[in-house]
Amino acid sequence: MFYREAGDFKVSYADDSQTFPIKFDRYRYYVVLAVAFGIIPFLINDYWANAILLPFLIYSIAAIGLNILVGYCGQVSLGTGGFMAVGAYSCYKLMTAFPEVSMFIHVLLAGGITAGVCVLFGLPSLRIKGFYLAVATLAAQFFLVWLFNRVPWFYNYSASGQINAPERDTFGIIITGPNAPAWATYLFCLIFLTVCALVARNLTRGTQGRTWMAIRDMDIAAEIIGVNPLKAKMTAFAVSGFFIGISGALFFAVYLGAVEVGEAFGINKSFLVLFMVILGGLGSIFGSFAGAAFLVLLPVVLKVVGVDILGWPTDIVAHFQLVIVGALIIVFLIAEPHGMAQLWRVAKEKLRLWPFPH
Amino acid sequence: MKKTLTTLALGAAMAAGPAMADLVFPDLSYRTGPYAAGGIPFSDGYNDYFTLLNERDGGIGGVKAKVVECETGYNTEKGVECYESTKGQGALIYQPLSTGITYQLIPKVTADNIPLHTMGYGRTSAANGEVFSHVFNYPANYWNGASGVINYLLEENGGDLNGKKIALVYHNSAYGKEPIRTLEELSKKHGFELVALPVDHPGQEQKSQWLQIRRDRPDYVVMWGWGVMNQVAIQEAANIRFPMENFIGVWWSGAEHDVLPAGDKADGYKAVTFHNVGRDFPVFDDIQKYVVDAGKAAGAGDQVGNVLYNRGMYAAMLAAEAAKTAQEIHGTKDITPAMMRDGMEALVIDEAKMEALGMPNFGPTFSVSCENHGGPGLVGVTQWDAESKTWSLISDFKPSDTEVIGKLVEEDSAAYAAENNIEPNCK
C-alpha cells in the first residue's frame, strides 16, 4: 500500500520531528492546500461559499482556539460564544471607526482585543479548575452577551441593537458586504484559517505546548518540575482568545454581515464549538477541522437528502436532524471518546501495518 | 469528507434542476424551535393560498406557482443557507418572517436584485423606498403599530394621556427594541411616562418584570413579544390580576395560541393588527373546497382561520397580486425577480380587488410607490373573547401618527444610506 514508511529515511532531527513524518501524508497535505487555494476559488459560487465553506472555515478557527484551551491546556471553557461576540463587536467598532484601514488589520486587532478579554476571564483559573472553571466561563458568556445588548455604544446607538457590516476592502478587493465576491470572502477566511492552524500546530508541539500539556495532565507535578502555571494558563487563554476573536470577527463581518448578539452568540454557540472539539478530538488540530466539518456539513447533508431528494416535510427533517446529531454524539462518545482524530490515527496505523496486523 | 462533498454536490445539482417554468415563491418557514407555534400557522396559510390559486385558477396568470419550503428554525445562519440554496431556482420574493434573517437579507437581496417583503416586521425604515430599493414592508410596520396602540389609548382616554404610565414588555432583541424610539417620541408628545421592561430570549422567565409591573402599577401594558414569550406574559398578567382590557400586544402577540393557555383569565386581551381575523370570508370556502377537502392542505391542515394563518394567507395574496401586477406591466407571464420588484412597487390594493378575491375588508386599502414602500400604515385593534374562543376586530383600520414616524424613518434610513454609500433615488 501507499501508506508506507519503508524507504522514507529521516537523516536529521528536523526531518524526524516534522508535522507529517510520512511522505504520503505530506504530499496529501500539499495537494489539499493546492486545491483549496488554487482550484476552489475558481469553482466557487454563492451557495458553496455562504452555506458550506465559510461556516466550515470560520468554525474551524473557533474550534482550534477552543481546542488549545480545553484540549491542550485542560481549562474547560463555556464562554466561546461570548468571546466570539467580543471579536465581532470589536471588529464592528474598528470597521466603523477606521473605514480606510484594511480588513486584515481589523480582524487581527479584533483577535487581540478578544485575547485580552479572554485573559481577564481566565484569571479565576489560577484558583479553580474543572467544573468550577466551567461555571466561571459560563458567567463570561452571559455577561458579555448582556453587555453587548445593554450598552448602545457597542452597536453605535442603532435603533434595533443589531450590528451591520458595512462594505470594507483589503488591497482594493471588497471583503464584506453583499457585493463581496464569493471567492474573495472564501480566500480571506482560508488565509486566516491556514495561518491559524500553522501557528497553533507549531505552538502546540514546541515548549509552549508542552507546558500547556503538563498543566493539563497534572498541574501540581508540572509546577514541581518548573512550569509556571500562571504563565502557562494565561498564555493558553490569550492564544485561544485570539483565535476565537478572529473567528468571531469573520463570522460577523464576512459570513453573516449582520448580527444580533443574543441570537448569534448565545450559549448555543458555546456548546456547538465545544461539541466540535469533543467530537473532533481533544488536543488535536486535525480534530478541530474534522469536528467543524462534521457539525457544519451534517445538517446540510441531512437537509439535502431529506427534503430535496426524499421530499419529506421540512419540519420532520429538522426534527430528525436533532435526533441524528444527538445520537451520533452519544455513539461517538461511547465508541470513540478521543474523537474523530483518533479514528483517523487508528485508520492510518492499520494502513501502515497492512497486510500484517499484529 | 471527500465523499460527503461529492454526494452533496450531486444532491445540490439534482435539487437545482430546471424548474424555471413555474413562479417560485420560497417559504423560509420555521416549524421547529421556540417560535414554531407562530411559524406553523403562518407557513400553512402561505402554502395553502398558492395551492388554492393553482387548483382553482390554474396558477397566477396561467403560470403555476411553486412554493419551495425551507426550514430556518428562526435561526439566522440557517436562514442564510436557505436563501442561498433557493435563490438559484428563480425565487421571486422572500418573506422570512424573522427580523434577524431580514437584516441578513436586506443587503443580499439588493445585490442579487430580488425583492424582499417584510410585512409588519423587519427594518421599519425600509419604508423609505429611495434608500431601500428592494425591501418592502407594506401595509404596516412596527412604528405604525406603536403609534396605533397609542392612538387607540388616546381614543379611550378622550385624547389625553397626560400623566399616564405605560409599560412596554419587549423581547430583548432587534425585533423587540424596534418600537422603543417611536414610543419615546410619542411619550414626549403626549406626556405619558414610558417604562421599558426587556425579556430575554426565548421568554419563559418573566417573574421579575411582572413583579415590577405589580409594584409600579402602570395604567397600560404594551407587549412586543413573539413565540412562547406571549403565552407566559399573558399568564403572568393574569396571575397579578392585571386588567386584560389594559393589556395590548403588537400583531405578533395576538394569536389563538398566545391566549388559550391562560384560559378564561385572558378574556379581554387586545392586540393591534393590520388585517382582519376570523374565517367569515368567501375565500375560506374556496380554501376548504379546493385545498382542505382535496387533502392538499399544508401541515396538519388544522390552522385554517387562525390569526397567523390569515396573516400567512394575506402575505401570499399580496405576493400573488404583486406578481399579477408585474405580469401586466411587463406583458409576460414568466416574470423575473426584477419584474416582480416593479410589480410590488406598482401594487394597488383597493376594495374592489379585495372583493373580487373573496376578502372584502380583510385588510386596509393601500397603494405602494417608489418613495413609499411602507403603505399608509393603517392599524386596527382586535380583542380576545375567551368564552367563544375568538378574536374580533373592534376598531377600523385607522391612520397612525405619520408626522412622528415619517421623521424617524427619514433619520434612520439616512443613517443606513450614509453607512452603506447609497445614493437615494427614485427614477
Side-chain angles (χ1 to χ4, degrees), chain B residues 217-275:
Chain B
R217 298 178 183 283
D219 299 286
Y220 297 97
V221 174
V222 180
M223 172 155 73
W224 235 258
W226 183 228
V228 71
M229 171 181 165
N230 296 337
Q231 307 174 4
V232 177
I234 292 167
Q235 185 68 54
E236 291 282 354
N239 290 351
I240 67 163
R241 298 208 178 77
F242 189 83
M244 281 294 165
E245 304 77 48
N246 297 342
F247 189 9
I248 303 187
V250 71
W251 37 71
W252 301 112
S253 307
E256 282 80 3
H257 58 89
D258 298 326
V259 279
L260 280 174
D264 287 343
K265 290 188 226 155
D267 190 51
Y269 172 76
K270 290 170 187 161
V272 286
T273 184
F274 53 83
H275 63 80

Side-chain angles (χ1 to χ4, degrees), chain A residues 243-258:
Chain A
F243 289 164
I244 292 174
I246 284 179
S247 81
L250 294 175
F251 185 81
F252 152 67
V254 180
Y255 172 39
L256 285 184

Side-chain angles (χ1 to χ4, degrees), chain A residues 50 149 256 258 260 269, chain B residues 76-77 84 87 104 173 177:
Chain A
N50 287 328
N149 227 333
L256 285 184
E260 188 181 327
K269 192 104 317 159
Chain B
T76 40
E77 284 165 67
E84 295 295 350
K87 83 172 183 198
Q104 308 294 334
S173 66
K177 285 177 187 165

Side-chain angles (χ1 to χ4, degrees), chain B residues 326-390:
Chain B
Q327 287 173 335
E328 281 161 23
I329 294 176
H330 290 278
T332 169
K333 301 278 180 220
D334 266 326
I335 53 171
T336 62
M339 294 177 186
M340 179 74 181
R341 196 204 78 85
D342 298 339
M344 293 177 76
E345 207 162 78
L347 182 67
V348 178
I349 297 287
D350 52 24
E351 201 43 59
K353 210 178 238 176
M354 298 288 280
E355 188 92 43
L357 292 168
M359 301 179 177
N361 193 33
F362 191 81
T365 57
F366 63 92
S367 60
V368 188
S369 68
C370 171
E371 289 82 16
N372 183 359
H373 282 190
L378 304 179
V379 177
V381 180
T382 57
Q383 189 168 28
W384 173 248
D385 177 28
E387 204 177 326
S388 62
K389 291 195 170 57
T390 48

Side-chain angles (χ1 to χ4, degrees), chain B residues 120-415:
Chain B
Y121 58 94
R123 187 170 190 138
T124 306
S125 60
N128 185 356
E130 294 195 61
V131 174
F132 296 90
S133 55
H134 288 72
V135 190
F136 298 82
N137 54 9
Y138 53 78
N141 56 48
Y142 286 142
W143 295 350
N144 298 134
S147 162
V149 171
I150 299 303
N151 280 351
Y152 177 74
L153 296 182
L154 277 169
E155 231 169 75
E156 277 206 325
N157 289 282
D160 183 27
L161 281 176
N162 227 331
K164 299 271 182 199
K165 192 187 265 186
I166 298 177
L168 170 71
V169 178
Y170 67 96
H171 195 265
N172 198 3
S173 66
Y175 153 62
K177 285 177 187 165
E178 197 84 43
I180 294 179
R181 199 176 268 185
T182 314
L183 288 173
E184 277 170 353
E185 291 292 317
L186 289 169
S187 89
K188 270 185 240 157
K189 187 172 171 182
H190 298 295
F192 61 86
E193 189 192 337
L194 181 73
V195 187
L197 300 167
V199 174
D200 277 325
H201 157 94
Q204 276 118 328
E205 189 47 64
Q206 302 180 25
K207 271 276 182 289
S208 66
Q209 285 84 353
W210 288 95
L211 271 178
Q212 199 174 335
I213 287 173
R214 194 166 72 172
R215 206 181 52 218
D216 286 358
R217 298 178 183 283
D219 299 286
Y220 297 97
V221 174
V222 180
M223 172 155 73
W224 235 258
W226 183 228
V228 71
M229 171 181 165
N230 296 337
Q231 307 174 4
V232 177
I234 292 167
Q235 185 68 54
E236 291 282 354
N239 290 351
I240 67 163
R241 298 208 178 77
F242 189 83
M244 281 294 165
E245 304 77 48
N246 297 342
F247 189 9
I248 303 187
V250 71
W251 37 71
W252 301 112
S253 307
E256 282 80 3
H257 58 89
D258 298 326
V259 279
L260 280 174
D264 287 343
K265 290 188 226 155
D267 190 51
Y269 172 76
K270 290 170 187 161
V272 286
T273 184
F274 53 83
H275 63 80
N276 216 322
V277 288
R279 53 179 297 178
D280 281 340
F281 298 92
V283 68
F284 286 107
D285 301 335
D286 285 352
I287 286 187
Q288 187 68 34
K289 183 172 153 202
Y290 290 100
V291 182
V292 180
D293 291 346
K296 288 180 175 154
D302 57 353
Q303 303 283 347
V304 183
N306 282 358
V307 174
L308 286 166
Y309 180 94
N310 286 10
R311 191 164 306 154
M313 190 187 77
Y314 188 56
M317 185 276 280
L318 292 178
E321 289 309 305
K324 272 183 212 164
T325 313
Q327 287 173 335
E328 281 161 23
I329 294 176
H330 290 278
T332 169
K333 301 278 180 220
D334 266 326
I335 53 171
T336 62
M339 294 177 186
M340 179 74 181
R341 196 204 78 85
D342 298 339
M344 293 177 76
E345 207 162 78
L347 182 67
V348 178
I349 297 287
D350 52 24
E351 201 43 59
K353 210 178 238 176
M354 298 288 280
E355 188 92 43
L357 292 168
M359 301 179 177
N361 193 33
F362 191 81
T365 57
F366 63 92
S367 60
V368 188
S369 68
C370 171
E371 289 82 16
N372 183 359
H373 282 190
L378 304 179
V379 177
V381 180
T382 57
Q383 189 168 28
W384 173 248
D385 177 28
E387 204 177 326
S388 62
K389 291 195 170 57
T390 48
W391 284 95
S392 47
L393 195 66
I394 57 166
S395 114
D396 290 336
F397 297 107
K398 290 180 185 167
S400 42
D401 195 336
T402 39
E403 190 191 321
V404 170
I405 297 168
K407 210 177 83 212
L408 290 172
V409 166
E410 201 59 48
E411 226 172 73
D412 193 65
S413 56

Side-chain angles (χ1 to χ4, degrees), chain A residues 2-313:
Chain A
F2 37 73
Y3 243 121
R4 197 144 290 179
E5 284 154 291
D8 185 7
F9 301 111
K10 310 284 189 291
V11 289
S12 69
Y13 184 68
D15 277 353
D16 200 37
S17 61
Q18 56 193 330
T19 299
F20 297 105
I22 306 166
K23 217 182 226 164
F24 177 76
D25 263 359
R26 205 155 53 237
Y27 291 145
R28 186 185 47 90
Y29 164 71
Y30 291 133
V31 168
V32 168
L33 273 189
V35 169
F37 277 98
I39 297 180
I40 293 181
F42 293 101
L43 302 175
I44 198 167
N45 60 20
D46 276 358
Y47 177 72
W48 277 90
N50 287 328
I52 294 163
L53 289 169
L54 285 188
F56 163 64
L57 298 174
I58 292 166
Y59 278 121
S60 294
I61 300 177
I64 290 173
L66 188 66
N67 218 334
I68 285 179
L69 198 58
V70 181
Y72 284 99
C73 197
Q75 309 296 309
V76 187
S77 166
L78 286 176
T80 320
F83 297 132
M84 282 176 81
V86 175
Y89 275 77
S90 38
C91 186
Y92 173 68
K93 288 304 284 185
L94 290 166
M95 281 165 84
T96 46
F98 310 105
E100 61 285 343
V101 176
S102 163
M103 272 305 287
F104 265 110
I105 296 171
H106 286 326
V107 173
L108 286 177
L109 284 178
I113 293 169
T114 316
V117 175
C118 205
V119 167
L120 209 65
F121 281 101
L123 284 175
S125 70
L126 298 174
R127 284 292 177 86
I128 53 181
K129 51 185 177 181
F131 283 123
Y132 302 95
L133 183 62
V135 172
T137 50
L138 193 64
Q141 161 76 44
F142 288 120
F143 170 76
L144 290 168
V145 167
W146 173 83
L147 181 75
F148 293 130
N149 227 333
R150 176 79 199 163
V151 183
W153 180 79
F154 285 114
Y155 46 83
N156 285 359
Y157 304 96
S158 76
S160 57
Q162 285 239 356
I163 53 173
N164 287 282
E167 199 169 283
R168 294 289 178 263
D169 59 8
T170 185
F171 307 122
I173 303 160
I174 302 167
I175 297 295
T176 63
N179 297 315
W183 63 266
T185 56
Y186 164 77
L187 271 184
F188 188 71
C189 293
L190 183 66
I191 290 169
F192 271 103
L193 175 63
T194 313
V195 174
C196 284
L198 277 175
V199 168
R201 173 66 193 157
N202 286 307
L203 271 181
T204 50
R205 67 190 181 134
T207 318
Q208 195 60 60
R210 281 167 215 282
T211 58
W212 289 340
M213 286 186 262
I215 290 284
R216 171 191 69 189
D217 292 339
M218 179 121 196
D219 48 353
I220 293 175
E223 219 175 328
I224 289 168
I225 59 166
V227 173
N228 181 352
L230 170 88
K231 210 178 131 202
K233 285 177 180 174
M234 289 306 106
T235 47
F237 270 100
V239 172
S240 160
F242 183 69
F243 289 164
I244 292 174
I246 284 179
S247 81
L250 294 175
F251 185 81
F252 152 67
V254 180
Y255 172 39
L256 285 184
V259 153
E260 188 181 327
V261 65
E263 210 257 316
F265 298 118
I267 181 78
N268 285 344
K269 192 104 317 159
S270 298
F271 284 130
L272 180 67
V273 180
L274 192 63
F275 287 155
M276 284 174 183
V277 171
I278 292 174
L279 280 184
L282 287 165
S284 154
I285 301 297
F286 170 77
S288 311
F289 281 88
F294 187 72
L295 285 186
V296 168
L297 285 180
L298 189 68
V300 179
V301 172
L302 288 178
K303 195 193 95 172
V304 168
V305 171
V307 178
D308 299 342
I309 296 179
L310 296 175
W312 289 351

